[in-house]
Amino acid sequence: DIYAGISCGGNSLIRTAMLNNAVETGTLMVKKMPKGDLSAPEQDGKTVIAWASENGLDNSPIVTVLKGRI
């Protein structure tokens, strides 16, 4: 519930972690969040995985953990 209400520079915290290569933090968030929240579209209508793909972040370790959870 808290995750959906928090952003940094207009990005969700997981997106911000990917952009800043904060792998440990991003991985921890992915592991602690409910699976439904991870696969739900964000404010821009895109899922985190779709957004990562569009922004060339497919190879992020955070995306790997995310894909493993959903």
Side-chain angles (χ1 to χ4, degrees), residues 3 13-15 17-18 22-39 48 60-70:
Y3 172 78
L13 296 180
I14 292 177
R15 290 180 182 188
M18 284 186 215
V23 176
E24 288 183 37
T25 301
T27 300
L28 177 67
M29 286 188 287
V30 168
K31 289 179 178 180
K32 296 292 184 179
M33 287 180 56
K35 290 180 184 181
D37 288 353
L38 296 172
S39 60
V48 176
S60 169
I62 299 169
V63 172
T64 302
V65 173
L66 181 61
K67 287 179 178 179
R69 287 230 42 229
I70 54 174

